[in-house]
Amino acid sequence: MIRLVPNHTAQIKRSETVTFTFDGTPVQGHRGETLVSALMRAGHLNLREAPNDSAPRGAFCCMGLCQECAVVVQGQVVEACRTDVSADLVVERA
């Protein structure tokens, strides 16, 4: 038998909302969450293109092992799943 439980989403305390840019487009995220979470929630699933065939790449392992979510932040290539959102961050496709 399935027991229905109340929806507790209203009780979740989120950090403040901040705005950063991804390829020049403003994206909102919560301070301290990962870039990949904020980008996926905003519908940005293609974070880079594969070097061999230019196929779209995005989040795969979400723990920093595969480097599929690599993006450029302030001139450095970083994993979006290991980088926190902060205000006025400028993020570009790798």
Side-chain angles (χ1 to χ4, degrees), residues 3-67:
R3 185 179 71 141
L4 299 178
V5 295
N7 183 350
H8 294 288
T9 57
Q11 297 174 351
I12 297 172
K13 303 289 184 197
R14 301 296 307 258
S15 58
E16 70 177 296
T17 301
V18 295
T19 302
F20 64 97
T21 61
F22 179 64
D23 283 345
T25 303
V27 177
Q28 288 191 334
H30 295 278
R31 184 181 303 278
E33 79 175 324
T34 62
L35 277 174
V36 76
S37 297
L39 290 169
M40 288 175 69
R41 190 174 55 254
H44 298 285
L45 303 180
N46 178 12
L47 303 181
R48 69 178 186 92
E49 295 178 351
N52 294 337
D53 60 1
S54 298
R57 295 295 203 210
F60 183 71
C61 75
C62 293
M63 60 183 184
L65 296 176
C66 70
Q67 288 84 40

